Amino acid sequence: MAATLGAVAKQAGVSVSTASRAFNEPGRLSPSTVERVVAAARELGYQPNHAARALATGRRGSIALVVPDVANPVFASFVKAAQAQGWQQRQAVLLADTDESPELERRLIARLLPQVDGIVLCSSRLELEELVSLDARIVLVNREVPQLPSVLVDASTGMRQAVEHLHALGHRSLAYVQGSALSWSNSERLRLITENAERLGVALEILHPQAPTYDGGIAAAANIRACGATAVVTYNDLVALGAVAQLTAMGIAVPGDVSVIGVDDIAMASMSVPPITTIAVPMDRAGRVSIEVMQRLLGGHEGEPALVRLETQLKVRGSTAEPVRKGTPA
Amino acid sequence: MAATLGAVAKQAGVSVSTASRAFNEPGRLSPSTVERVVAAARELGYQPNHAARALATGRRGSIALVVPDVANPVFASFVKAAQAQGWQQRQAVLLADTDESPELERRLIARLLPQVDGIVLCSSRLELEELVSLDARIVLVNREVPQLPSVLVDASTGMRQAVEHLHALGHRSLAYVQGSALSWSNSERLRLITENAERLGVALEILHPQAPTYDGGIAAAANIRACGATAVVTYNDLVALGAVAQLTAMGIAVPGDVSVIGVDDIAMASMSVPPITTIAVPMDRAGRVSIEVMQRLLGGHEGEPALVRLETQLKVRGSTAEPVRKGTPA
DNA sequence: CTGAAAGCGCTAACAG
DNA sequence: CTGTTAGCGCTTTCAG
């Protein structure tokens, strides 16, 4: 059906290899030849057969994206950006969703690895040893493993700004609502908020890990009240949103009685009432950059595995608008 | 590096063709042979080379998903379900995001078509003729084209329930805030609400198309007030959310003064205050089903192009909780 | 039930 | 600058 390189070659009156070169190394051909081949190709509607090329070169021309949950807005914007960048670099992007399951993740990786050039593994739930034993062309996102190239979100700037912002508002007692205790992002955020709270002499209460969801936030509200903190930072915006809703339902005003800060800057954070102050995490950039890193990795640039850190930034909104009241909450 | 079929064959003491058959048509081999080959394969960690198989068979083992915007929660859940289903059917899933651009969509399709078995085109923005001229292995989602297999969301049940619900609450004047005028979904919803309003003798005001976003909803609020309707159905939840926020800001109570109903049942709809009553659209089922339809299409079952309609259902929540007041709004 | 052999469409030395 | 010639790893007639 589809025209092959052979057909194009015949039509242009050259050999297959010449036709091939017209596309792959036009520099090595006389301009007129290239032109003739290109014309023939267009005439026949020639489309290269990627499977054949892959078989001959060993390069698949595709990379896989493995994420815990595409339906999560954070990963969705990551995927969107990565896909766009991949397309721009003429790489097909395979998508795999692990549904937060380490076992599924493991199987997906095994099945994908032999049929793509590389895998971008986002927020992997796998053990460290398992990750390094993969040996292969893998770029990690939101996971720090010295042996592997990775792109990380560096929450330090955002977290510093968040604690300073709260401190400036007069808050002296702070709580952090954890996300999944296993996640690299959570430990980073925990570490950073601890450092900053100490530095500024703000009391810090660490609240139990919650599912990083709206319901997790609802569940956390009681603990927030119980601990008596006047300000709270949550693992992410979803938790913040749930906490704000439940706090409000319990008669605790946000930001009147307690200030709330989330992380991620998902769309919802700006649409709620009050809108949530948040540490913006550039997952779109992470998507783009991770594909670039992968490209460099495949390009065979040896040396150290790449390590890219992406900056975060505090976005102040209504959930922290007011200075702390003199009295303590509820 | 990776073990080839040849290696497996040698290890098992059989020919390549036999080894091949052990995986593809084990019925034609003696059980003991199959067993031997399988054992050898596992021993060598054999992984079939998809590129080679594709070259030999013409089947790529992969299908592409083309969506307008993965970051849109509606499409995200579609993609998630489609991916899961594809994986289950041992089909790799390529992802392409058109960013709502018809030109990009066109180019993506052209580039993808030759390298996948088929394309699932979700909410295509292309012209009818362009779509049919594609001739190829395409399954449409949210777009009705007689010549092409498609899976459609049938809003009729949900819309009937919505208008009846509003009518039962005492509403006699209704407004519909349109989404993109070009979209198939929008015209369907417009048609259905018109039919239902007429049937129940409810006055209906059609409001200008808005961008199907939160900001579109904000912009629509003024028109909603101006038209004097006591209840409004919006193209989707995002618009509903924006409208509710702005209406509230203008001093119009929801659902006190006006009731609002959205479409989609995105997560955000249940998290807002008040939570949005909505017509739930099963995009996850659409994702799963569209892959199944594609599979059947590729299986070569001729006959009519498949046409699947998915039911919708009203989910009543706080944005329509109260019966209509005697007086008219603002 | 199993093997031999001919490609699928393309690339990549190797020769001119 | 261009053509010849082998394959890449797998499937698939065609013969046993």
PDB file of all heavy atoms in Angstrom, chain D residues 3-15:
ATOM      1  P    DG D   3      22.898   5.983  -7.772  1.00  0.00           P
ATOM      2  OP1  DG D   3      22.293   6.177  -9.103  1.00  0.00           O
ATOM      3  OP2  DG D   3      22.144   6.323  -6.552  1.00  0.00           O
ATOM      4  O5'  DG D   3      23.401   4.483  -7.681  1.00  0.00           O
ATOM      5  C5'  DG D   3      24.309   4.010  -8.660  1.00  0.00           C
ATOM      6  C4'  DG D   3      24.996   2.748  -8.171  1.00  0.00           C
ATOM      7  O4'  DG D   3      25.766   3.044  -6.984  1.00  0.00           O
ATOM      8  C3'  DG D   3      24.017   1.628  -7.787  1.00  0.00           C
ATOM      9  O3'  DG D   3      24.499   0.405  -8.342  1.00  0.00           O
ATOM     10  C2'  DG D   3      24.109   1.590  -6.264  1.00  0.00           C
ATOM     11  C1'  DG D   3      25.535   2.046  -5.998  1.00  0.00           C
ATOM     12  N9   DG D   3      25.737   2.660  -4.698  1.00  0.00           N
ATOM     13  C8   DG D   3      25.153   3.798  -4.232  1.00  0.00           C
ATOM     14  N7   DG D   3      25.545   4.122  -3.014  1.00  0.00           N
ATOM     15  C5   DG D   3      26.453   3.127  -2.678  1.00  0.00           C
ATOM     16  C6   DG D   3      27.210   2.952  -1.483  1.00  0.00           C
ATOM     17  O6   DG D   3      27.236   3.661  -0.481  1.00  0.00           O
ATOM     18  N1   DG D   3      28.004   1.812  -1.545  1.00  0.00           N
ATOM     19  C2   DG D   3      28.054   0.952  -2.614  1.00  0.00           C
ATOM     20  N2   DG D   3      28.861  -0.098  -2.491  1.00  0.00           N
ATOM     21  N3   DG D   3      27.361   1.112  -3.743  1.00  0.00           N
ATOM     22  C4   DG D   3      26.581   2.216  -3.701  1.00  0.00           C
ATOM     23  P    DT D   4      23.635  -0.919  -8.299  1.00  0.00           P
ATOM     24  OP1  DT D   4      23.347  -1.348  -9.692  1.00  0.00           O
ATOM     25  OP2  DT D   4      22.491  -0.646  -7.388  1.00  0.00           O
ATOM     26  O5'  DT D   4      24.587  -1.984  -7.622  1.00  0.00           O
ATOM     27  C5'  DT D   4      25.841  -1.584  -7.069  1.00  0.00           C
ATOM     28  C4'  DT D   4      26.432  -2.759  -6.303  1.00  0.00           C
ATOM     29  O4'  DT D   4      26.794  -2.311  -4.959  1.00  0.00           O
ATOM     30  C3'  DT D   4      25.512  -3.956  -6.097  1.00  0.00           C
ATOM     31  O3'  DT D   4      26.299  -5.136  -6.058  1.00  0.00           O
ATOM     32  C2'  DT D   4      24.841  -3.626  -4.770  1.00  0.00           C
ATOM     33  C1'  DT D   4      25.975  -2.946  -3.982  1.00  0.00           C
ATOM     34  N1   DT D   4      25.524  -1.900  -3.035  1.00  0.00           N
ATOM     35  C2   DT D   4      26.149  -1.820  -1.806  1.00  0.00           C
ATOM     36  O2   DT D   4      27.044  -2.556  -1.436  1.00  0.00           O
ATOM     37  N3   DT D   4      25.688  -0.811  -1.018  1.00  0.00           N
ATOM     38  C4   DT D   4      24.678   0.101  -1.311  1.00  0.00           C
ATOM     39  O4   DT D   4      24.353   0.970  -0.511  1.00  0.00           O
ATOM     40  C5   DT D   4      24.065  -0.067  -2.603  1.00  0.00           C
ATOM     41  C7   DT D   4      22.962   0.848  -3.031  1.00  0.00           C
ATOM     42  C6   DT D   4      24.505  -1.052  -3.400  1.00  0.00           C
ATOM     43  P    DT D   5      25.624  -6.531  -5.794  1.00  0.00           P
ATOM     44  OP1  DT D   5      26.512  -7.580  -6.352  1.00  0.00           O
ATOM     45  OP2  DT D   5      24.191  -6.484  -6.182  1.00  0.00           O
ATOM     46  O5'  DT D   5      25.718  -6.602  -4.209  1.00  0.00           O
ATOM     47  C5'  DT D   5      26.993  -6.461  -3.584  1.00  0.00           C
ATOM     48  C4'  DT D   5      26.854  -6.645  -2.082  1.00  0.00           C
ATOM     49  O4'  DT D   5      26.320  -5.444  -1.456  1.00  0.00           O
ATOM     50  C3'  DT D   5      25.921  -7.786  -1.678  1.00  0.00           C
ATOM     51  O3'  DT D   5      26.550  -8.517  -0.641  1.00  0.00           O
ATOM     52  C2'  DT D   5      24.675  -7.069  -1.148  1.00  0.00           C
ATOM     53  C1'  DT D   5      25.298  -5.811  -0.538  1.00  0.00           C
ATOM     54  N1   DT D   5      24.376  -4.652  -0.386  1.00  0.00           N
ATOM     55  C2   DT D   5      24.562  -3.818   0.688  1.00  0.00           C
ATOM     56  O2   DT D   5      25.427  -3.994   1.518  1.00  0.00           O
ATOM     57  N3   DT D   5      23.693  -2.768   0.746  1.00  0.00           N
ATOM     58  C4   DT D   5      22.671  -2.477  -0.140  1.00  0.00           C
ATOM     59  O4   DT D   5      21.966  -1.495   0.023  1.00  0.00           O
ATOM     60  C5   DT D   5      22.533  -3.388  -1.245  1.00  0.00           C
ATOM     61  C7   DT D   5      21.479  -3.175  -2.255  1.00  0.00           C
ATOM     62  C6   DT D   5      23.379  -4.429  -1.320  1.00  0.00           C
ATOM     63  P    DA D   6      26.359 -10.110  -0.630  1.00  0.00           P
ATOM     64  OP1  DA D   6      27.560 -10.768  -1.193  1.00  0.00           O
ATOM     65  OP2  DA D   6      25.025 -10.464  -1.165  1.00  0.00           O
ATOM     66  O5'  DA D   6      26.337 -10.386   0.942  1.00  0.00           O
ATOM     67  C5'  DA D   6      25.256  -9.859   1.666  1.00  0.00           C
ATOM     68  C4'  DA D   6      25.743  -9.214   2.934  1.00  0.00           C
ATOM     69  O4'  DA D   6      25.376  -7.824   2.898  1.00  0.00           O
ATOM     70  C3'  DA D   6      25.012  -9.824   4.128  1.00  0.00           C
ATOM     71  O3'  DA D   6      25.829  -9.805   5.274  1.00  0.00           O
ATOM     72  C2'  DA D   6      23.797  -8.951   4.256  1.00  0.00           C
ATOM     73  C1'  DA D   6      24.283  -7.589   3.772  1.00  0.00           C
ATOM     74  N9   DA D   6      23.243  -6.876   3.033  1.00  0.00           N
ATOM     75  C8   DA D   6      22.627  -7.245   1.869  1.00  0.00           C
ATOM     76  N7   DA D   6      21.725  -6.376   1.459  1.00  0.00           N
ATOM     77  C5   DA D   6      21.767  -5.364   2.415  1.00  0.00           C
ATOM     78  C6   DA D   6      21.070  -4.167   2.558  1.00  0.00           C
ATOM     79  N6   DA D   6      20.142  -3.745   1.704  1.00  0.00           N
ATOM     80  N1   DA D   6      21.350  -3.401   3.644  1.00  0.00           N
ATOM     81  C2   DA D   6      22.298  -3.816   4.512  1.00  0.00           C
ATOM     82  N3   DA D   6      23.030  -4.928   4.474  1.00  0.00           N
ATOM     83  C4   DA D   6      22.707  -5.665   3.392  1.00  0.00           C
ATOM     84  P    DG D   7      25.495 -10.845   6.399  1.00  0.00           P
ATOM     85  OP1  DG D   7      25.651 -10.214   7.739  1.00  0.00           O
ATOM     86  OP2  DG D   7      26.284 -12.057   6.040  1.00  0.00           O
ATOM     87  O5'  DG D   7      23.961 -11.147   6.085  1.00  0.00           O
ATOM     88  C5'  DG D   7      22.978 -11.146   7.125  1.00  0.00           C
ATOM     89  C4'  DG D   7      22.976  -9.833   7.879  1.00  0.00           C
ATOM     90  O4'  DG D   7      22.725  -8.774   6.925  1.00  0.00           O
ATOM     91  C3'  DG D   7      21.852  -9.774   8.904  1.00  0.00           C
ATOM     92  O3'  DG D   7      22.360  -9.290  10.127  1.00  0.00           O
ATOM     93  C2'  DG D   7      20.834  -8.826   8.331  1.00  0.00           C
ATOM     94  C1'  DG D   7      21.645  -7.972   7.367  1.00  0.00           C
ATOM     95  N9   DG D   7      20.811  -7.642   6.207  1.00  0.00           N
ATOM     96  C8   DG D   7      20.586  -8.426   5.098  1.00  0.00           C
ATOM     97  N7   DG D   7      19.789  -7.852   4.234  1.00  0.00           N
ATOM     98  C5   DG D   7      19.469  -6.622   4.805  1.00  0.00           C
ATOM     99  C6   DG D   7      18.639  -5.569   4.332  1.00  0.00           C
ATOM    100  O6   DG D   7      18.003  -5.518   3.274  1.00  0.00           O
ATOM    101  N1   DG D   7      18.586  -4.508   5.223  1.00  0.00           N
ATOM    102  C2   DG D   7      19.260  -4.467   6.427  1.00  0.00           C
ATOM    103  N2   DG D   7      19.089  -3.375   7.151  1.00  0.00           N
ATOM    104  N3   DG D   7      20.050  -5.419   6.880  1.00  0.00           N
ATOM    105  C4   DG D   7      20.105  -6.475   6.017  1.00  0.00           C
ATOM    106  P    DC D   8      21.825  -9.952  11.461  1.00  0.00           P
ATOM    107  OP1  DC D   8      22.999 -10.153  12.318  1.00  0.00           O
ATOM    108  OP2  DC D   8      20.955 -11.090  11.120  1.00  0.00           O
ATOM    109  O5'  DC D   8      20.886  -8.825  12.095  1.00  0.00           O
ATOM    110  C5'  DC D   8      21.374  -7.571  12.521  1.00  0.00           C
ATOM    111  C4'  DC D   8      20.182  -6.724  12.932  1.00  0.00           C
ATOM    112  O4'  DC D   8      19.621  -6.076  11.778  1.00  0.00           O
ATOM    113  C3'  DC D   8      19.073  -7.558  13.572  1.00  0.00           C
ATOM    114  O3'  DC D   8      19.038  -7.293  14.975  1.00  0.00           O
ATOM    115  C2'  DC D   8      17.779  -7.088  12.887  1.00  0.00           C
ATOM    116  C1'  DC D   8      18.220  -6.119  11.796  1.00  0.00           C
ATOM    117  N1   DC D   8      17.792  -6.500  10.415  1.00  0.00           N
ATOM    118  C2   DC D   8      17.199  -5.570   9.559  1.00  0.00           C
ATOM    119  O2   DC D   8      17.013  -4.421   9.973  1.00  0.00           O
ATOM    120  N3   DC D   8      16.821  -5.962   8.315  1.00  0.00           N
ATOM    121  C4   DC D   8      17.037  -7.218   7.913  1.00  0.00           C
ATOM    122  N4   DC D   8      16.657  -7.562   6.675  1.00  0.00           N
ATOM    123  C5   DC D   8      17.651  -8.177   8.766  1.00  0.00           C
ATOM    124  C6   DC D   8      18.012  -7.780   9.997  1.00  0.00           C
ATOM    125  P    DG D   9      19.144  -8.555  15.974  1.00  0.00           P
ATOM    126  OP1  DG D   9      19.460  -7.976  17.293  1.00  0.00           O
ATOM    127  OP2  DG D   9      20.006  -9.604  15.401  1.00  0.00           O
ATOM    128  O5'  DG D   9      17.657  -9.120  16.008  1.00  0.00           O
ATOM    129  C5'  DG D   9      16.603  -8.281  16.492  1.00  0.00           C
ATOM    130  C4'  DG D   9      15.277  -8.905  16.151  1.00  0.00           C
ATOM    131  O4'  DG D   9      15.111  -8.918  14.721  1.00  0.00           O
ATOM    132  C3'  DG D   9      15.115 -10.348  16.620  1.00  0.00           C
ATOM    133  O3'  DG D   9      13.901 -10.410  17.341  1.00  0.00           O
ATOM    134  C2'  DG D   9      15.105 -11.159  15.338  1.00  0.00           C
ATOM    135  C1'  DG D   9      14.571 -10.153  14.328  1.00  0.00           C
ATOM    136  N9   DG D   9      15.006 -10.365  12.957  1.00  0.00           N
ATOM    137  C8   DG D   9      16.223 -10.838  12.527  1.00  0.00           C
ATOM    138  N7   DG D   9      16.333 -10.891  11.217  1.00  0.00           N
ATOM    139  C5   DG D   9      15.109 -10.434  10.757  1.00  0.00           C
ATOM    140  C6   DG D   9      14.633 -10.266   9.420  1.00  0.00           C
ATOM    141  O6   DG D   9      15.233 -10.503   8.369  1.00  0.00           O
ATOM    142  N1   DG D   9      13.332  -9.767   9.403  1.00  0.00           N
ATOM    143  C2   DG D   9      12.583  -9.471  10.516  1.00  0.00           C
ATOM    144  N2   DG D   9      11.358  -8.998  10.299  1.00  0.00           N
ATOM    145  N3   DG D   9      13.014  -9.616  11.765  1.00  0.00           N
ATOM    146  C4   DG D   9      14.282 -10.104  11.819  1.00  0.00           C
ATOM    147  P    DC D  10      13.247 -11.766  17.794  1.00  0.00           P
ATOM    148  OP1  DC D  10      12.548 -11.516  19.064  1.00  0.00           O
ATOM    149  OP2  DC D  10      14.198 -12.868  17.691  1.00  0.00           O
ATOM    150  O5'  DC D  10      12.120 -11.937  16.692  1.00  0.00           O
ATOM    151  C5'  DC D  10      11.102 -10.944  16.625  1.00  0.00           C
ATOM    152  C4'  DC D  10      10.256 -11.140  15.396  1.00  0.00           C
ATOM    153  O4'  DC D  10      11.115 -11.178  14.239  1.00  0.00           O
ATOM    154  C3'  DC D  10       9.465 -12.443  15.380  1.00  0.00           C
ATOM    155  O3'  DC D  10       8.075 -12.147  15.530  1.00  0.00           O
ATOM    156  C2'  DC D  10       9.733 -13.061  14.020  1.00  0.00           C
ATOM    157  C1'  DC D  10      10.535 -12.016  13.276  1.00  0.00           C
ATOM    158  N1   DC D  10      11.640 -12.601  12.478  1.00  0.00           N
ATOM    159  C2   DC D  10      11.540 -12.602  11.092  1.00  0.00           C
ATOM    160  O2   DC D  10      10.520 -12.142  10.571  1.00  0.00           O
ATOM    161  N3   DC D  10      12.557 -13.120  10.360  1.00  0.00           N
ATOM    162  C4   DC D  10      13.646 -13.608  10.960  1.00  0.00           C
ATOM    163  N4   DC D  10      14.626 -14.098  10.203  1.00  0.00           N
ATOM    164  C5   DC D  10      13.764 -13.625  12.377  1.00  0.00           C
ATOM    165  C6   DC D  10      12.749 -13.122  13.084  1.00  0.00           C
ATOM    166  P    DT D  11       7.014 -13.325  15.654  1.00  0.00           P
ATOM    167  OP1  DT D  11       5.856 -12.803  16.378  1.00  0.00           O
ATOM    168  OP2  DT D  11       7.715 -14.549  16.113  1.00  0.00           O
ATOM    169  O5'  DT D  11       6.592 -13.525  14.133  1.00  0.00           O
ATOM    170  C5'  DT D  11       5.917 -12.450  13.490  1.00  0.00           C
ATOM    171  C4'  DT D  11       5.677 -12.776  12.047  1.00  0.00           C
ATOM    172  O4'  DT D  11       6.908 -13.164  11.394  1.00  0.00           O
ATOM    173  C3'  DT D  11       4.671 -13.893  11.775  1.00  0.00           C
ATOM    174  O3'  DT D  11       3.848 -13.420  10.731  1.00  0.00           O
ATOM    175  C2'  DT D  11       5.538 -15.061  11.314  1.00  0.00           C
ATOM    176  C1'  DT D  11       6.667 -14.315  10.605  1.00  0.00           C
ATOM    177  N1   DT D  11       7.992 -14.977  10.486  1.00  0.00           N
ATOM    178  C2   DT D  11       8.540 -15.107   9.223  1.00  0.00           C
ATOM    179  O2   DT D  11       7.979 -14.752   8.210  1.00  0.00           O
ATOM    180  N3   DT D  11       9.804 -15.658   9.197  1.00  0.00           N
ATOM    181  C4   DT D  11      10.550 -16.083  10.278  1.00  0.00           C
ATOM    182  O4   DT D  11      11.685 -16.538  10.114  1.00  0.00           O
ATOM    183  C5   DT D  11       9.914 -15.947  11.558  1.00  0.00           C
ATOM    184  C7   DT D  11      10.641 -16.407  12.800  1.00  0.00           C
ATOM    185  C6   DT D  11       8.679 -15.405  11.613  1.00  0.00           C
ATOM    186  P    DT D  12       2.423 -14.107  10.453  1.00  0.00           P
ATOM    187  OP1  DT D  12       1.446 -13.029  10.178  1.00  0.00           O
ATOM    188  OP2  DT D  12       2.186 -15.069  11.545  1.00  0.00           O
ATOM    189  O5'  DT D  12       2.688 -14.917   9.116  1.00  0.00           O
ATOM    190  C5'  DT D  12       3.395 -14.277   8.062  1.00  0.00           C
ATOM    191  C4'  DT D  12       3.776 -15.289   7.016  1.00  0.00           C
ATOM    192  O4'  DT D  12       5.093 -15.827   7.288  1.00  0.00           O
ATOM    193  C3'  DT D  12       2.831 -16.498   6.924  1.00  0.00           C
ATOM    194  O3'  DT D  12       2.584 -16.749   5.555  1.00  0.00           O
ATOM    195  C2'  DT D  12       3.628 -17.620   7.550  1.00  0.00           C
ATOM    196  C1'  DT D  12       5.055 -17.235   7.152  1.00  0.00           C
ATOM    197  N1   DT D  12       6.142 -17.788   8.003  1.00  0.00           N
ATOM    198  C2   DT D  12       7.341 -18.097   7.401  1.00  0.00           C
ATOM    199  O2   DT D  12       7.549 -17.946   6.219  1.00  0.00           O
ATOM    200  N3   DT D  12       8.299 -18.595   8.259  1.00  0.00           N
ATOM    201  C4   DT D  12       8.156 -18.811   9.614  1.00  0.00           C
ATOM    202  O4   DT D  12       9.095 -19.259  10.263  1.00  0.00           O
ATOM    203  C5   DT D  12       6.878 -18.471  10.173  1.00  0.00           C
ATOM    204  C7   DT D  12       6.635 -18.679  11.632  1.00  0.00           C
ATOM    205  C6   DT D  12       5.935 -17.988   9.349  1.00  0.00           C
ATOM    206  P    DT D  13       1.155 -17.199   5.050  1.00  0.00           P
ATOM    207  OP1  DT D  13       0.951 -16.668   3.708  1.00  0.00           O
ATOM    208  OP2  DT D  13       0.199 -16.912   6.128  1.00  0.00           O
ATOM    209  O5'  DT D  13       1.322 -18.760   4.984  1.00  0.00           O
ATOM    210  C5'  DT D  13       1.107 -19.441   3.774  1.00  0.00           C
ATOM    211  C4'  DT D  13       2.234 -19.190   2.779  1.00  0.00           C
ATOM    212  O4'  DT D  13       3.495 -18.982   3.475  1.00  0.00           O
ATOM    213  C3'  DT D  13       2.417 -20.403   1.860  1.00  0.00           C
ATOM    214  O3'  DT D  13       2.572 -20.015   0.506  1.00  0.00           O
ATOM    215  C2'  DT D  13       3.650 -21.104   2.398  1.00  0.00           C
ATOM    216  C1'  DT D  13       4.429 -19.971   3.097  1.00  0.00           C
ATOM    217  N1   DT D  13       5.100 -20.475   4.331  1.00  0.00           N
ATOM    218  C2   DT D  13       6.424 -20.821   4.272  1.00  0.00           C
ATOM    219  O2   DT D  13       7.084 -20.763   3.248  1.00  0.00           O
ATOM    220  N3   DT D  13       6.962 -21.244   5.462  1.00  0.00           N
ATOM    221  C4   DT D  13       6.320 -21.336   6.682  1.00  0.00           C
ATOM    222  O4   DT D  13       6.921 -21.729   7.669  1.00  0.00           O
ATOM    223  C5   DT D  13       4.928 -20.962   6.675  1.00  0.00           C
ATOM    224  C7   DT D  13       4.144 -21.035   7.941  1.00  0.00           C
ATOM    225  C6   DT D  13       4.390 -20.555   5.524  1.00  0.00           C
ATOM    226  P    DC D  14       2.289 -21.058  -0.652  1.00  0.00           P
ATOM    227  OP1  DC D  14       2.484 -20.383  -1.959  1.00  0.00           O
ATOM    228  OP2  DC D  14       1.015 -21.749  -0.344  1.00  0.00           O
ATOM    229  O5'  DC D  14       3.482 -22.101  -0.439  1.00  0.00           O
ATOM    230  C5'  DC D  14       4.824 -21.677  -0.696  1.00  0.00           C
ATOM    231  C4'  DC D  14       5.780 -22.809  -0.382  1.00  0.00           C
ATOM    232  O4'  DC D  14       6.005 -22.884   1.040  1.00  0.00           O
ATOM    233  C3'  DC D  14       5.260 -24.190  -0.816  1.00  0.00           C
ATOM    234  O3'  DC D  14       6.294 -24.863  -1.537  1.00  0.00           O
ATOM    235  C2'  DC D  14       4.944 -24.892   0.499  1.00  0.00           C
ATOM    236  C1'  DC D  14       5.966 -24.251   1.443  1.00  0.00           C
ATOM    237  N1   DC D  14       5.598 -24.283   2.886  1.00  0.00           N
ATOM    238  C2   DC D  14       6.593 -24.533   3.830  1.00  0.00           C
ATOM    239  O2   DC D  14       7.763 -24.715   3.460  1.00  0.00           O
ATOM    240  N3   DC D  14       6.252 -24.576   5.148  1.00  0.00           N
ATOM    241  C4   DC D  14       4.990 -24.383   5.522  1.00  0.00           C
ATOM    242  N4   DC D  14       4.711 -24.421   6.829  1.00  0.00           N
ATOM    243  C5   DC D  14       3.956 -24.118   4.574  1.00  0.00           C
ATOM    244  C6   DC D  14       4.295 -24.083   3.277  1.00  0.00           C
ATOM    245  P    DA D  15       5.848 -26.060  -2.596  1.00  0.00           P
ATOM    246  OP1  DA D  15       6.246 -25.684  -3.961  1.00  0.00           O
ATOM    247  OP2  DA D  15       4.450 -26.470  -2.305  1.00  0.00           O
ATOM    248  O5'  DA D  15       6.796 -27.250  -2.102  1.00  0.00           O
ATOM    249  C5'  DA D  15       6.590 -27.746  -0.809  1.00  0.00           C
ATOM    250  C4'  DA D  15       7.906 -28.138  -0.189  1.00  0.00           C
ATOM    251  O4'  DA D  15       7.915 -27.640   1.169  1.00  0.00           O
ATOM    252  C3'  DA D  15       8.058 -29.658  -0.088  1.00  0.00           C
ATOM    253  O3'  DA D  15       9.428 -30.018  -0.091  1.00  0.00           O
ATOM    254  C2'  DA D  15       7.417 -29.966   1.242  1.00  0.00           C
ATOM    255  C1'  DA D  15       7.730 -28.720   2.085  1.00  0.00           C
ATOM    256  N9   DA D  15       6.629 -28.364   2.989  1.00  0.00           N
ATOM    257  C8   DA D  15       5.360 -27.954   2.657  1.00  0.00           C
ATOM    258  N7   DA D  15       4.587 -27.742   3.691  1.00  0.00           N
ATOM    259  C5   DA D  15       5.403 -28.014   4.783  1.00  0.00           C
ATOM    260  C6   DA D  15       5.187 -27.972   6.162  1.00  0.00           C
ATOM    261  N6   DA D  15       4.013 -27.621   6.710  1.00  0.00           N
ATOM    262  N1   DA D  15       6.217 -28.304   6.974  1.00  0.00           N
ATOM    263  C2   DA D  15       7.379 -28.644   6.431  1.00  0.00           C
ATOM    264  N3   DA D  15       7.720 -28.715   5.143  1.00  0.00           N
ATOM    265  C4   DA D  15       6.669 -28.387   4.363  1.00  0.00           C
TER     266       DA D  15
END
